[in-house]
Amino acid sequence: EAQVTQNPRYLITVTGKKLTVTCSQNMNHEYMSWYRQDPGLGLRQIYYSMNVEVTDKGDVPEGYKVSRKEKRNFPLILESPSPNQTSLYFCASSELGYEQYFGPGTRLTVT
Amino acid sequence: RKEVEQDPGPFNVPEGATVAFNCTYSNSASQSFFWYRQDCRKEPKLLMSVYSSGNEDGRFTAQLNRASQYISLLIRDSKLSDSATYLCAVNPSGTYKYIFGTGTRLKVLA
């Protein structure tokens, strides 16, 4: 089954404790992306990757890091999470310029 | 002006009604357009890609108006199950970004 998976689905953590949210896709897509979704602000792109070892900033990259060492994986790293990073996070993949397929989401709370 | 704008709604319509949403975009060179459906706090799922010639899938029709820089989504014979938030997305030409609107909420009433 073609899918994008994310882990964990729910995470509660404290300010400053490094965390990683994993994302994996099995569709051999070149393009992968991370979004955060907040009430009233919609989906905002954090980082994206056009291929292995090629990443770039989206509209809200501050406080986040990514890496793309393998085509199927695109982890999101919060080195020092802060409460304003409490959000619903989605990973997505696609062929470039085509429709994106989203993972089920990760609900992150930073206290 | 936001790059992609949608009326947040909610649009409350009776079952069987026809409803239309618009989504305006600011980058005139944008090439790829999409409509997604999102149920409460779940992942967005593709509803339709929007082609220059327009496209139809059952009760759903999407149109692109390049002159006025908007895309539209028409839903005919609304069902209770159509209640959701509808997001438009644009891939501006020359970029690798996807820009999403904040979504339009639809409630279909029995």
Side-chain angles (χ1 to χ4, degrees):
Chain A
E1 180 189 356
Q3 60 181 354
V4 179
T5 56
Q6 293 178 231
N7 282 292
R9 295 288 313 280
Y10 303 90
L11 180 59
I12 301 173
T13 190
V14 296
T15 299
K17 186 176 181 182
K18 181 179 179 180
L19 66 93
T20 299
V21 184
T22 64
C23 173
S24 183
Q25 51 97 2
N26 64 359
M27 294 169 279
N28 202 36
H29 285 157
E30 292 182 344
Y31 187 90
M32 296 186 74
S33 183
W34 276 102
Y35 297 86
R36 62 178 288 173
Q37 188 172 35
D38 303 286
L41 298 177
L43 274 168
R44 294 181 292 167
Q45 198 166 30
I46 303 171
Y47 269 95
Y48 56 92
S49 169
M50 293 77 81
N51 213 325
V52 175
E53 302 291 4
V54 183
T55 64
D56 206 350
K57 297 176 181 179
D59 292 325
V60 288
E62 295 78 20
Y64 305 94
K65 287 176 59 177
V66 292
S67 67
R68 186 96 180 269
K69 298 189 188 311
E70 304 168 280
K71 197 172 187 178
R72 63 181 293 129
N73 296 324
F74 190 45
L76 179 70
I77 302 157
L78 284 71
E79 295 269 6
S80 183
S82 62
N84 65 12
Q85 293 179 298
T86 292
S87 188
L88 178 58
Y89 291 87
F90 290 105
C91 179
S93 74
S94 70
E95 293 301 331
L96 188 60
Y98 289 83
E99 66 273 13
Q100 297 201 284
Y101 295 84
F102 285 82
T106 295
R107 191 179 302 278
L108 172 65
T109 301
V110 183
T111 60
Chain B
R1 181 185 176 188
K2 291 182 181 178
E3 290 188 80
V4 177
E5 289 196 81
Q6 294 183 253
D7 182 338
F11 285 57
N12 297 323
V13 302
E15 270 188 292
T18 295
V19 61
F21 312 131
N22 285 343
C23 167
T24 59
Y25 60 93
S26 61
N27 186 328
S28 61
S30 297
Q31 294 290 341
S32 303
F33 307 89
F34 310 93
W35 282 105
Y36 288 83
R37 172 196 169 123
Q38 185 176 28
D39 294 295
C40 188
R41 305 302 268 175
K42 294 195 173 180
E43 74 271 27
K45 293 187 178 178
L46 180 73
L47 185 63
M48 304 179 80
S49 299
V50 186
Y51 307 121
S52 296
S53 56
N55 48 313
E56 184 174 321
D57 183 4
R59 298 182 294 107
F60 299 86
T61 300
Q63 298 280 352
L64 168 62
N65 185 317
R66 285 197 179 276
S68 299
Q69 293 182 210
Y70 72 88
I71 60 172
S72 63
L73 177 68
L74 180 77
I75 305 175
R76 290 180 296 277
D77 188 22
S78 299
K79 312 290 186 191
L80 293 175
S81 58
D82 293 334
S83 297
T85 296
Y86 292 84
L87 305 172
C88 64
V90 175
N91 172 218
S93 178
T95 79
Y96 296 100
K97 293 184 177 183
Y98 287 80
I99 313 294
F100 282 79
T102 53
T104 296
R105 195 166 162 211
L106 172 66
K107 293 183 181 179
V108 181
L109 308 172

